[in-house]
Structures are given as C-alpha cells and as structure tokens.
Amino acid sequence: MRMVHVLTSVVGTKCELEVKNGSVYEGVFKTYGPECDLVLDAAHRKSPEPTTGPRKEDIVESIIFKASDVVVVTFKDVDPNFARKVSTDTDNFTDAAVTGRINGEHKEKDLEPWDGGDGHNSDSLESLDTDVSNGWDPNDMFKYNEEKYGVLSTYDSSLSTYTLPLERDNSEEFLKREARAAQLAEEIEASASYKARVALENDERTEEEKYTAVVRGDRETHTLGRENKYVPPGQRNREPLSWSTGRQNSPRLGQGSVGPSAPRPGPHDYSPNSGTDQRVVNGGPPRMSPKSQRTPRSHRVPPSRISGMPPGVDLISHNSPGEAPSGPPNRNNSSEGTWSSVVSGAHRPRSPRQNSMGGSSPGSSSLPSPQTEALTSASSPTTASPTPSMVTSPTGDAKECRVQETRQTPPSANKDIIKSLDSSPSINRGVCKGPPSMPSDHRKQIDNLKKFSVDFKLQSSSNSDTSFEVNTKPVRDPAEKPKDLPLDKASAAGRDAAEDNGAGNSAQASEAAPVPPTTSTNASKPDSPAALSPSPSAADAKRTGLDVTSQGVQTSTLSGSKHEDKEEKKEAVQDQVRKSTLNPNANEFKPRFNSQPKPANTPTPPRPQGQPSPSIVVPPPQTVYGQPVCFPQMYPLTPVSPGVQSPAMYQVQMPHMTVSQSKPYRPGKVPNMGQQRSDQHHPPGTPTMMHPATAPGPQIVAPSQAYSAQYFTCSPQQFTSQPLVQQMPHYQSQAQHVFSPVMQGGTRMMAPPTHGQPSLVSSSTTQYHEQTHTMYVSAGPMPQQYPHPSATLHPHPQHPQPSATPTGQAQQGGPPQHGGPPNHPAASPVQHPQHQQAAAAAAAAAQALHMASQPPQQQMYSALAATPPSMTPGPNPQSPQASFPSAQQAVYIHPQQVQHGYNHSHIAHVQQAHMQSGMVPSHHPGPTHPPMMLMATQGPPGGPQGPMAQTALNPIPVSSTTHFSYLAHPQGQWTSPQ
Amino acid sequence: MAAPGPGEYFSVGSHVSCLTCLGQRLQGEVVAFDYQSKMLTLKCASSSGKPNLHDVILINLAYVSEVDIINDRTETPPPLASLNVSKLANRARTEKEDKLSQAYAISAGVSVEGQQLFQTIHKTIKDCKWQEKNIIVMDDVIISPPYQVENCKGKEGSALSHVRKIVEKHFRDLESQKSMQRSQAQQTQKDSTLSS
C-alpha cells in the first residue's frame, strides 16, 4: 500500500535506475506494475563519463524494467507534496483537506452544534423565509436609511445628471415625430422577429423544454394529462416509451392481438376524424407544448388538452377545437413555423426513427405514418380549432404510426433509435397502439405496425379529411412540423419523417402564411392541400429566391393558382372524404394492408440493416400511400396535405439519410453535405413559411441546396397548377432528399393512390438519380441498387402491385396506388437502412436504392418534361437509369453509396429537371404528376410501370414523353432488378 | 506491508542502511517495503541540498548484502495523502517532452550555453522550443546562436523585450556563477596549497 503510494507520488520525476550489470539508465518514471516492474519513459543509458546529455538517438521511448533486474532506483529532488491534492497549508478547512488528512482512518467527526449567540434576532431569519417580496423597494431603502441613519439620498428619478428630459410640446413637428415614433414602435412590436425575441425572453419554458421537443411531449403529456410530476430527463425517454407503450399498447394491444388488421380497425373505429384527432392529440402534446410555450395563447391550452386528453378524448376534443381555433393556428403559422418545425421535428424524428426501426417493414409503416402525420396534421387542424392541437394530433398520429413502426422495427437493430423514437413517439404510439408491446415483440409489433401503417393510411385518409376540413390548422401544424423537422434532421430517420412532415408542414405553413386567405376561404380542407402545395412553392420560392428568384416567383404564382385549384378540388375531395371518410378509409385500408404487408415483410429485414433515417424515409412514403389510397376520391385534399406533410418529414429525414449515406458513400460529395446542412439550416432558419420550402429544400438541398431550391420552385410550380402538382414538388424534394419524401410527393400529386406509387416512384427515382449519378460515375453501383430495390421486396412487391395500381391510380389512383406506395415506402425505408448498412443488406440497399433512384428519376422526368432543361436532366437520368439497370444489379452496396453521393448531384440535376418538368406538370397538374409517379412506379416494376408511365406521359406531351423515355429506360432497368 | 512486523519487515519510519551488490551504501528512512518484490523504498535528504525536497531510493533487497537498522520507529506512520493522479501524469508527460526536447537540441549540435539558456527560458516561459539551433519563444521571438541578447529577434513588442530581459539575466547569472566558481576554485586551490 505504501509502496504504491510512494511510487505513485514519484511518477513523472526523473530517476536513475541501476540494473544488475551495473549500467545506469536515466528516464522519467512513468509507471509501475504489480510486480514492481518499472517503466521509464524517454530513457537513455547513462554513460560513465558525464556528458552534456543524451542525444536524440540515444533515447528510448520507454523501457520496462523487471523488478528482478533492478538494483537501485534513485529519484532525485522529489517534492513529496507535489501531487498532494490538498495542501495542508492553504486548504486546511476544506472538506477535502479535512478528510484528506484522515485518509484510511475513517473516524466519525464529532460534530458540534453551532451557537449563534444571542445577538441574532430570530425575526430576521424568519422574515427571510416569509418575505415573498423581491427585495426592497428603493423608496423603502431611502426611507429606512433616512430614518435609521439620517442619510438623505440624492437620487433623482429623472436621472437629470445623465440625460435630458424629453421636452414635450404641441408643435406640429413634435406631434409628427411622436406619431412617427409610435408607428415605428408599432411596426417593430408587430414584427414577427420582435415577437419571437420577446417570446424568447419571456419564454417560461426551460431550456430543456425548448430544446428537447421529443422528450418534452412526453413530459407535457405527463404533467398535463396525467400527473404534475416532474420527470427526470433520464427517465423521460423511458416514460415516454412506457407511456407510449402503455398508451400504444392498449391500442396496439387491442390491435396487436388482432394483428395488423386490428390496429387498423382502431383507426377505422375512430373514423377519420376521431382517429386522426387522437393521433394528433397524442403526437400533438409534445409538439404542441413547444408551440404552446412559444405562444402562450391557444397553443398552451391545446397542448394541455392534447396531453391531458386521452387519445380518444383528444380526438374528439381536437376535432371540435381544431376548427374553432383557426385564429390560433394563424398565429402559429407565423411563429409556429419554427415551433411547428420543432414540433414536427420531434414527430418526424420519431417517424424516421420508426421507419428506421422498422427497417423495410417500418419503412412501409413509417411511410404511412408520415402520411398519417400529414393527414393527421391536416385533419387535426381542420377538426380542431386549436392549431396546436391540430398539429399535435397530426404529428401525434404520424408519430404514432411511426412509433408503431419504429417499435416494430426496433427489434431489428434500431433499438436505440426506437428508444428515442419511443420516447418521442411514445405519445404517438400511445395514440396509435401500445408502444410497450411493440418494443417487446418488435417483429410482431412490426407486423402490427405494418397493419397499423395500413390503418394509418386509413387514418391518414381520415385525417386528411379532417385536415381538409381544417386546412388552416393543418397548415399551421405542418409549419410547426417543418420546424421540428429541421431540428430533428439530425436523426436521419427523424429527418426523413421530418422531411415529410416538414414538407407538409412547410406546405401548410406556406399555405397558412401566403395562402392564409385561401385556406380560410377554401375551408381548411382544400386549402390545406393547396396550402401545402403553395407552401412547397413558397419554400421553393424562398429557396429559389436564394438560388433563383425567378423560379421562386414562378413557383409562388403557380402555387397560388394551383392552390386555388387545389383548394377547390380539395374541397370537393374533402367533402367526399368527410362524407365517406369512414368508408373510404376502410377501402383504403384494405389496399394498403395488402401493399403494406409486403412492405412490412421487406421492411423487417431492412430494419436490422436499415438505419433509422432510411427506414424513416420509407415509412413516410407508405403513410403517404396509405393516405392517398384512402383518399383516392379525396386525392387533392388528402394527398396534398399528407403528401406535403409527409414530404416535409421525409425531407428532414432525407437529409439525415443523405447525410449519412452521402457522407459514408462519398466524402467528397459536397452536395449531400450541403443538402443536409441546408436542410438543417432551412428548418431552423425558415419558419413556417420557409419551412415547407425549406423542408423540401433541405432534402433537395441535401443534394444541392441551390438545386433543391430550384427544384422546389419548379416542382411547386408544377404542383401549383394542381394539388397534385404541389404534392409533386414535395415529392420531388422528398424524393431527392429521401425516398420517402418522393413517395409522398407522388402520393400528393396523384392523390392517395398515385401518391403511393409516386412515392414509390419518387423514392425509386431519387435513388435512381443517385444511382444514375453513380451510374455516371460507375454503372455498377446503380445496377446494384436496382436489384436491391427489387430485393428489398417491399418495394418490388409493392411495385408490382403499384404498377398495376399505378396505372389504375394514374387514372383513378386510389387503392392500387396505395398498395404501390406502401411497397415503395417500405422499400425506400429498407433501402435507406440498407444504404446505411450498405454491406449488411446489399440487396435491401439495392432495393432501397432502386426505390430512391426511381423516385428521383420520376422527379427528374417530370422536371424534364416540363422544360428543356428537364429534358437534359432527363437524358442523364435515362442514360443513368439504362445503365443502372444492368449496372445496378452488378453493383450492390457500393453503388448505393456512390449513388447516394452521385444521387445528390444527380438529384440536383434531376430536381432541376423536375423543376422544369414540374412546370410542365403544372399544366398537366394531376395527370402529369400521376404519370410521373406512375412512371416512376411503373419504372421500378418494369412492364407495368412502363405502360403507366406512358399513359401518364401521354397527358403531358413533351414532358411526359421525355419522362417516358426516361421512365421507360428506368423501368426496363427496374424490371431487371426486380 | 503497511504494518511491518518487528523481525521480517521494515517498519515505516525507521532508518536503515544497506549495501548493494554494486558497492553502494544507501541510508535513509523507510517509506515503504514490498515484501513480494523485496523492494524497499527509502527517503533521504536531497542530494542537491534543498530542504523541502527528498531523494527517494528504491532498493531491491535481493541485491543487497547488508541491511542495518539504525533506529527503529514505533510510532504509527502518518496517513497517506491522496494524490492527484492527473497532475502526476501531466508531470510525467512534460518531463518526457522536456527531455526529448533537450535531446533534440543536443542532437542538433546546440552548444551547452544554448541549452542552458533554453532551460532558463523554459523555466519562465513554457512555450519555447527548438528549431534547429534556434530557440523559438512563444512562436514570436527567435534566439539564434550564440544566444546573446542581440541575437533575440522578433516582432518588436513586449514579448521580445521580455525575452531579452530573460536572456540578459541568464548570462548575468551565469557570469556571477562563474566568478563564484572561480573564487571557490581559487579558494580550494589556496586550501590545497596551504594544506600541501
């Protein structure tokens, strides 16, 4: 013991060590071993004759001397107190010093009571405890001093010593100035930035509440809904999980027992509104809380309601409140943009995570969830007057969906993610199903989730209906979501989801901000879709403003017109949806189920492999699909709102995905980085309005910010013409960013069915683009991706279905498309995960890639079709695609990675092309987009897609043809993979 | 180990004297003894004569021929103070770096004066290093051979003037030291002559 102490105390001192043979080594004593082996650093053998010192070459890094070889070691000039923690001279009375001196002899110190003596007045102490006032009033001080000490203060409240008093007069000049000052003050105080800053200052939320949106929801729910008990941060995640599990479990359990169908039934039971509402509520609380915090008004209340309200209750309450509180939503729109983004971000992250968790299956489920989220958000807004509640509910739904998905997926490899998701999603989950059960039986849960996803879709559809009703609210929610998304972007999965949401949110936000009037007029339903589309356009415009002003303008204008159109359509759809929400949902659910099951299967495999972000991405598309399916009739409304939201979510997720992928794949790929960054930046930087755009932008941006912006603009423009068009932008952006986003976009464009396909397509296209890019770089990778997509199963199965459906969808959309979308989503998620996992699931990755590539291509195509530039992009995609098919098969993981990197750039190009095409699509609005989507979807399946694409293309002469060519190539390629 | 027995063990605090196989006689106060490795640690007065420092000697009793206990100590040894390990590790690291730096300078053919100056500067300013034969202080001042005050170059400023002061003082001290040594040498010579 003492030896250890002594030796330790001389560590770092120079020593001379004499060994048996008499030679002496000098070095710095480094350490010692249990057998008293000694280690000298920088040791050299000391020569007998004194020299100036060792030469560099004489010094050995370190030498270990065995104790048996050592004769004597001399440490010279050791300061025994050097390493003493407490110097007895200086710190005699610190706890450390006191205990340090009795080290090893633990003797209880005799404590002596302190006697303050009689001099202390107990009054003073008591007064301290009872005195609630915040110190003394200055006047009291002056008075006290005057009375007690006779000191007169010279304080002058006018501070005439330091400043001059304002001389007021009635002169015209003065009044003029006064009025001017008042006006300025009013302007400043009315500005959003001022309010935001004031809100920051007066924000009563703790930093944790502010910056841990995910956890916060849980906490809020806890405090608000259940108990006012403080939950330590460390336990919040768990609790959320438990909550989610508990909540979700109950729902899920019921559903779970039934199986996938069971969960879905739940939503059905809810009916669109109820289901969405509940979901919204669940998800809402967390998001809402942030918003509420920001905006004390309605936000806080809604959150509390949401949190407090049980899922079911919430649903009801939300619905009614949602509509009424249109005013609050507006507020939210401005400020919420950021808030919403934050909230959405939380949701998104969850969803992404879920997706990732789910892997392929999660992807499918996740896709649905995003859609659901969007739908929910839309629905919630519509239903619930309080935007927050609306938002929350949508997010909640999405979250729930995602959560479920995530839970399911978690088993594979995303446990961490799942956890995080669970924590955040817990609320959502609680709404959707029992999260706890999910975690335990991840696979089962996954299956359930898949079912849920299907259900979700249904819900989403219902939600969308609700959303349609309260478009304004949804919009706000979306805006919030986008904000959240940016925040969450960090998590790839989260990002994807966020992107989807963000897109939706952004769209909504944009709608709310720019379109506020329209939304109001349209009634929330149509407006929301329109708003969504506009928002994307707005986002695009913003981005474009950065990148290309002209584009942005165009997009904005287009979006505006489109919004109107969309609104009308949406309204019609909404009405239909409202009326037939239950029935449509049921129908939709079935299709979705079909499609989803497959995705789920594929997703599950990916899950392990799949990364959170990828999985997330995938899920959104699925959700989108599901929603679209539900709303085939509703298309405009549901697709748009869901699509938008989902896109946002996707985008966010996408960035993550892209980042992860891009980073790993190609370090040099700046585009990806940029995109990611841009995504992140955009969400935070751009509030609600910007968010939508930003959300998409981020995705796009991920590939290339500038491009993304342009793309966005283009896509928005295209979309603007019709709701579908708007969705398209989202899709494009999403697709570019993330597969899921693409998917969503497609769904939006097409309407639910189409969406599903589009989403698939978009995802595939995005991947393809990347692949194509990669293809350019290396054909091999591309092919691999394609094959993989097929391998992903989900996508493929879906694709086949989608292909069939797509055609039908293109025409009608509806269920078939939904089926397709789910598959795509699943595939995309899987793909993403795969990408990340790369080596782990080459096949899955390939599939994912395929999915992604396909969506990008579609986007590209659309862009191309729209404008000559698009054409150029198109060719590239085509060539890449063509090359891809063969190449892709050959190249597996690597290609994917490469593709990602390439994809970004390609995507950017593609996006641009899409933008252009998007312009064209605007003409074609619905049809073109669907075609696009179809094309994409068809492309992957192969033959079926081709036809579809063609059909779609037909509507769009130039663009379509170009697209077709591309698509055709892609399709052929795709088919081969499949 | 901390509780030495009367016969076999060395009690902490006792003074012992021993003769190693290499003919060294070592004497000091027992600080620690590890029975298993037969390592005995002694503390003795600093060889440099500094009052607050010690020399610590680690002796392997396997190579010791005689061990004489000069006086035993029955009092309980003082408790061990807790040690700041990070501080120790830091010291080890800096010592090593210093030594390597010195070796670098020697390898570069720096004169003894230059090395001494470096050590002197290093005591005051840790941020100094060798660059070939030049001493770089704070990346700002360069002292090149023969390391006189006029050899200090750099951006005019407080750093340069500060380093010049240090260099100036270093050589002044060196001079005084030499003169003292000279006088001492003379003294010894006188003594020797006287004695002789």
Side-chain angles (χ1 to χ4, degrees):
Chain A
M1 186 67 192
R2 282 184 177 270
M3 179 64 80
V4 170
H5 184 268
V6 169
L7 289 179
T8 303
S9 67
V10 297
V11 164
T13 57
K14 282 181 184 169
C15 68
E16 291 180 7
L17 187 148
E18 199 168 346
V19 294
K20 279 192 295 189
N21 65 4
S23 57
V24 177
Y25 291 86
E26 185 182 298
V28 178
F29 183 62
K30 175 73 177 236
T31 186
Y32 53 93
E35 302 301 325
C36 242
D37 296 339
L38 306 174
V39 180
L40 299 189
D41 265 6
H44 70 279
R45 185 171 169 176
K46 216 174 174 183
S47 55
E49 65 277 10
T51 55
T52 53
R55 297 177 67 81
K56 193 168 64 179
E57 49 270 26
D58 297 333
I59 292 178
V60 179
E61 174 69 16
S62 63
I63 303 176
I64 302 173
F65 297 93
K66 298 188 80 168
S68 57
D69 295 334
V70 174
V71 176
V72 172
V73 183
T74 305
F75 302 88
K76 289 187 177 177
D77 294 344
V78 174
D79 179 2
N81 294 325
F82 173 79
R84 237 190 184 135
K85 277 185 174 172
V86 179
S87 134
T88 50
D89 294 333
T90 57
D91 292 332
N92 246 340
F93 302 104
T94 62
D95 287 350
V98 170
T99 57
R101 270 176 280 150
I102 57 169
N103 184 21
E105 301 177 18
H106 298 287
K107 192 172 65 179
E108 279 296 328
K109 281 197 70 177
D110 294 332
L111 301 178
E112 299 176 11
W114 175 72
D115 183 7
D118 300 334
H120 296 273
N121 213 337
S122 61
D123 298 347
S124 61
L125 293 176
E126 289 177 1
S127 66
L128 286 177
D129 294 334
T130 56
D131 187 8
V132 189
S133 67
N134 184 18
W136 283 56
D137 183 273
N139 290 322
D140 289 344
M141 295 187 207
F142 298 143
K143 188 179 174 188
Y144 186 86
N145 280 327
E146 188 174 349
E147 289 176 353
K148 188 123 183 170
Y149 306 109
V151 177
L152 261 178
S153 172
T154 59
Y155 172 74
D156 179 5
S157 62
S158 69
L159 300 177
S160 57
T161 313
Y162 305 96
T163 185
L164 291 173
L166 181 66
E167 295 180 6
R168 305 184 72 89
D169 57 33
N170 291 327
S171 67
E172 188 177 336
E173 180 67 12
F174 179 83
L175 292 175
K176 205 171 172 182
R177 284 187 189 171
E178 195 175 32
R180 170 67 176 157
Q183 182 188 346
L184 286 173
E186 193 177 350
E187 285 179 5
I188 293 170
E189 291 175 357
S191 68
S193 60
Y194 172 84
K195 286 178 179 174
R197 284 167 193 147
V198 168
L200 281 178
E201 234 174 66
N202 299 333
D203 195 349
E204 294 177 0
R205 296 175 305 148
T206 64
E207 290 204 345
E208 185 166 0
E209 287 172 327
K210 285 189 216 170
Y211 303 113
T212 57
V214 176
V215 173
R216 195 167 179 286
D218 298 335
R219 186 180 172 189
E220 283 190 0
T221 55
H222 287 293
T223 57
L224 294 175
R226 306 189 177 174
E227 309 162 7
N228 289 325
K229 202 171 173 183
Y230 172 78
V231 180
Q235 294 182 357
R236 287 177 194 167
N237 289 338
R238 298 177 188 173
E239 290 191 3
L241 293 173
S242 64
W243 283 83
S244 64
T245 54
R247 297 177 184 176
Q248 294 177 354
N249 286 344
S250 59
R252 290 183 180 179
L253 289 176
Q255 296 177 353
S257 63
V258 176
S261 64
R264 297 175 182 177
H268 291 290
D269 294 347
Y270 288 105
S271 74
N273 293 341
S274 65
T276 55
D277 289 352
Q278 291 177 350
R279 293 178 183 177
V280 173
V281 173
N282 293 337
R287 297 179 183 178
M288 290 304 291
S289 64
K291 294 179 179 179
S292 66
Q293 292 176 351
R294 294 178 181 177
T295 15
R297 313 164 182 174
S298 61
H299 291 292
R300 291 181 182 177
V301 175
S304 65
R305 293 179 183 176
I306 295 166
S307 62
M309 299 289 282
V313 177
D314 291 349
L315 294 173
I316 298 168
S317 64
H318 287 293
N319 292 336
S320 61
E323 293 176 356
S326 61
N330 293 334
R331 297 175 183 175
N332 292 340
N333 292 339
S334 61
S335 64
E336 284 178 5
T338 52
W339 290 88
S340 65
S341 65
V342 174
V343 174
S344 63
H347 292 290
R348 295 173 183 176
R350 295 175 184 177
S351 66
R353 292 178 183 177
Q354 293 176 352
N355 294 333
S356 62
M357 296 296 287
S360 62
S361 64
S364 63
S365 62
S366 65
L367 291 173
S369 66
Q371 293 176 350
T372 54
E373 290 182 355
L375 293 174
T376 55
S377 65
S379 65
S380 65
T382 55
T383 55
S385 60
T387 46
S389 65
M390 293 298 289
V391 175
T392 56
S393 65
T395 55
D397 293 349
K399 290 179 179 179
E400 289 176 338
C401 298
R402 294 178 182 177
V403 173
Q404 292 174 352
E405 294 175 355
T406 53
R407 291 177 182 175
Q408 293 175 352
T409 51
S412 62
N414 298 329
K415 290 181 179 180
D416 294 348
I417 298 168
I418 294 169
K419 291 178 180 179
S420 62
L421 291 174
D422 291 352
S423 63
S424 62
S426 65
I427 298 170
N428 296 332
R429 292 178 180 176
V431 178
C432 294
K433 300 175 182 178
S437 64
M438 291 304 289
S440 63
D441 303 340
H442 290 290
R443 295 183 180 178
K444 291 180 179 180
Q445 292 177 353
I446 295 169
D447 293 344
N448 293 336
L449 292 177
K450 294 176 180 178
K451 295 177 181 180
F452 283 109
S453 66
V454 175
D455 293 346
F456 286 108
K457 294 176 179 179
L458 294 175
Q459 292 177 355
S460 67
S461 65
S462 65
N463 292 339
S464 65
D465 294 346
T466 56
S467 64
F468 288 108
E469 293 177 357
V470 187
N471 290 334
T472 56
K473 293 176 180 179
V475 172
R476 296 173 183 174
D477 292 350
E480 293 178 354
K481 290 178 179 180
K483 294 177 181 178
D484 292 351
L485 294 174
L487 296 175
D488 293 347
K489 287 179 180 179
S491 65
R495 291 179 183 177
D496 293 345
E499 288 178 352
D500 296 344
N501 295 336
N505 294 339
S506 64
Q508 292 178 353
S510 65
E511 290 178 359
V515 189
T518 56
T519 53
S520 64
T521 57
N522 291 335
S524 52
K525 298 175 182 180
D527 292 350
S528 65
L532 293 175
S533 61
S535 65
S537 64
D540 295 346
K542 293 177 180 179
R543 293 180 180 178
T544 52
L546 299 176
D547 298 347
V548 182
T549 331
S550 63
Q551 291 181 351
V553 175
Q554 292 176 352
T555 54
S556 65
T557 57
L558 292 174
S559 64
S561 63
K562 292 178 180 178
H563 286 294
E564 294 177 355
D565 296 347
K566 292 178 179 178
E567 289 177 354
E568 294 176 355
K569 293 179 179 179
K570 290 178 179 179
E571 289 178 353
V573 175
Q574 289 176 352
D575 295 343
Q576 294 176 353
V577 174
R578 290 177 183 176
K579 294 175 181 178
S580 64
T581 50
L582 295 175
N583 296 339
N585 291 336
N587 294 335
E588 293 175 353
F589 285 105
K590 292 177 181 179
R592 292 178 182 175
F593 281 82
N594 295 338
S595 64
Q596 289 178 348
K598 294 177 181 179
N601 293 336
T602 50
T604 50
R607 292 176 185 174
Q609 300 174 349
Q611 297 175 352
S613 63
S615 63
I616 295 170
V617 175
V618 176
Q622 291 178 352
T623 55
V624 176
Y625 288 109
Q627 294 178 353
V629 174
C630 294
F631 296 92
Q633 296 174 350
M634 305 291 289
Y635 292 127
L637 296 174
T638 52
V640 175
S641 64
V644 174
Q645 293 175 351
S646 62
M649 295 297 288
Y650 288 109
Q651 291 174 352
V652 176
Q653 292 176 354
M654 290 301 287
H656 293 286
M657 292 299 290
T658 54
V659 174
S660 63
Q661 293 176 352
S662 65
K663 289 179 180 177
Y665 291 104
R666 26 163 145 158
K669 296 176 181 179
V670 179
N672 294 341
M673 295 298 290
Q675 290 176 351
Q676 294 175 353
R677 294 178 184 177
S678 66
D679 290 347
Q680 295 175 353
H681 293 294
H682 287 289
T686 49
T688 53
M689 295 299 289
M690 295 303 292
H691 289 291
T694 55
Q699 296 175 351
I700 298 169
V701 175
S704 59
Q705 295 178 350
Y707 286 110
S708 63
Q710 293 177 353
Y711 292 113
F712 284 107
T713 57
C714 292
S715 63
Q717 293 175 351
Q718 295 175 354
F719 290 105
T720 52
S721 63
Q722 294 178 350
L724 294 175
V725 174
Q726 292 176 350
Q727 293 175 353
M728 289 300 289
H730 292 291
Y731 286 109
Q732 293 176 349
S733 64
Q734 291 176 354
Q736 294 171 351
H737 293 288
V738 186
F739 295 100
S740 63
V742 176
M743 295 293 288
Q744 294 175 352
T747 53
R748 294 177 184 175
M749 295 300 291
M750 292 307 288
T754 54
H755 285 292
Q757 293 177 350
S759 65
L760 291 172
V761 174
S762 64
S763 65
S764 63
T765 53
T766 54
Q767 293 177 354
Y768 285 108
H769 289 294
E770 293 177 351
Q771 291 178 352
T772 56
H773 293 287
T774 53
M775 289 299 289
Y776 293 107
V777 177
S778 64
M782 293 300 287
Q784 290 178 353
Q785 292 177 351
Y786 286 103
H788 290 291
S790 61
T792 41
L793 301 179
H794 295 288
H796 293 292
Q798 294 176 352
H799 287 292
Q801 294 177 353
S803 65
T805 54
T807 54
Q809 290 176 351
Q811 297 170 354
Q812 295 177 349
Q817 292 177 350
H818 288 292
N823 293 333
H824 289 288
S828 64
V830 176
Q831 292 175 352
H832 290 288
Q834 290 175 350
H835 289 292
Q836 294 174 350
Q837 293 176 353
Q847 292 177 352
L849 292 173
H850 288 291
M851 295 301 291
S853 66
Q854 290 177 352
Q857 290 178 352
Q858 292 176 349
Q859 295 176 353
M860 293 295 291
Y861 290 111
S862 62
L864 294 173
T867 52
S870 64
M871 292 298 288
T872 52
N876 294 339
Q878 292 176 351
S879 63
Q881 291 175 351
S883 60
F884 287 106
S886 60
Q888 288 176 347
Q889 293 176 351
V891 184
Y892 289 86
I893 298 170
H894 293 289
Q896 292 177 349
Q897 294 177 351
V898 177
Q899 290 174 351
H900 288 291
Y902 291 105
N903 289 339
H904 292 291
S905 61
H906 288 290
I907 294 171
H909 295 292
V910 175
Q911 291 175 351
Q912 292 176 351
H914 286 292
M915 294 301 288
Q916 297 172 352
S917 65
M919 294 302 289
V920 176
S922 63
H923 300 291
H924 296 287
T928 55
H929 291 290
M932 292 299 290
M933 296 302 289
L934 294 174
M935 292 298 289
T937 54
Q938 293 174 353
Q945 292 178 352
M948 292 301 292
Q950 291 176 353
T951 56
L953 293 174
N954 292 337
I956 308 168
V958 177
S959 64
S960 66
T961 55
T962 56
H963 291 291
F964 283 109
S965 62
Y966 293 108
L967 291 171
H969 293 287
Q971 291 175 352
Q973 296 173 356
W974 292 86
T975 54
S976 65
Q978 291 177 349
Chain B
M1 291 184 285
E8 299 175 0
Y9 295 74
F10 297 90
S11 55
V12 173
S14 60
H15 285 261
V16 299
S17 171
C18 51
L19 184 67
T20 69
C21 64
L22 299 174
Q24 286 179 288
R25 178 158 288 280
L26 303 169
Q27 182 177 335
E29 177 185 338
V30 174
V31 178
F33 175 66
D34 181 20
Y35 179 76
Q36 290 183 330
S37 60
K38 290 190 167 47
M39 285 293 204
L40 176 68
T41 306
L42 299 181
K43 181 176 77 175
C44 37
S46 171
S47 55
S48 60
K50 294 175 183 171
N52 55 340
L53 301 180
H54 309 284
D55 280 1
V56 174
I57 305 170
L58 189 65
I59 305 169
N60 188 343
L61 290 185
Y63 303 110
V64 168
S65 56
E66 310 176 5
V67 177
D68 297 330
I69 298 178
I70 298 173
N71 62 54
D72 208 346
R73 188 169 182 175
T74 56
E75 308 166 20
T76 56
L80 298 175
S82 58
L83 298 175
N84 187 338
V85 178
S86 64
K87 196 174 177 185
L88 291 168
N90 203 40
R91 176 171 68 176
R93 185 172 52 77
T94 55
E95 283 282 349
K96 183 180 176 184
E97 286 173 358
D98 288 350
K99 182 170 180 180
L100 291 175
S101 169
Q102 189 184 356
Y104 173 86
I106 292 167
S107 299
V110 175
S111 64
V112 179
E113 288 75 22
Q115 291 178 42
Q116 288 174 335
L117 175 62
F118 182 86
Q119 295 302 326
T120 302
I121 297 172
H122 189 65
K123 284 180 192 170
T124 309
I125 303 171
K126 292 298 175 191
D127 184 12
C128 58
K129 61 192 177 188
W130 286 104
Q131 188 183 69
E132 295 301 328
K133 291 186 179 180
N134 297 334
I135 301 172
I136 311 293
V137 185
M138 296 187 294
D139 292 329
D140 208 11
V141 180
I142 300 173
I143 309 172
S144 50
Y147 312 111
Q148 296 303 314
V149 176
E150 55 271 22
N151 299 121
C152 297
K153 291 169 185 170
K155 200 168 55 182
E156 284 298 334
S158 57
L160 180 60
S161 61
H162 185 58
V163 172
R164 276 180 175 157
K165 281 181 188 169
I166 294 172
V167 175
E168 188 179 348
K169 181 175 189 301
H170 168 73
F171 285 105
R172 198 169 57 226
D173 291 348
L174 214 59
E175 277 304 310
S176 63
Q177 232 172 29
K178 281 180 183 174
S179 64
M180 281 184 64
Q181 285 177 350
R182 223 173 287 139
S183 65
Q184 283 179 351
Q186 292 173 356
Q187 190 69 36
T188 51
Q189 278 184 348
K190 288 179 183 176
D191 293 347
S192 62
T193 52
L194 286 174
S195 63
S196 65

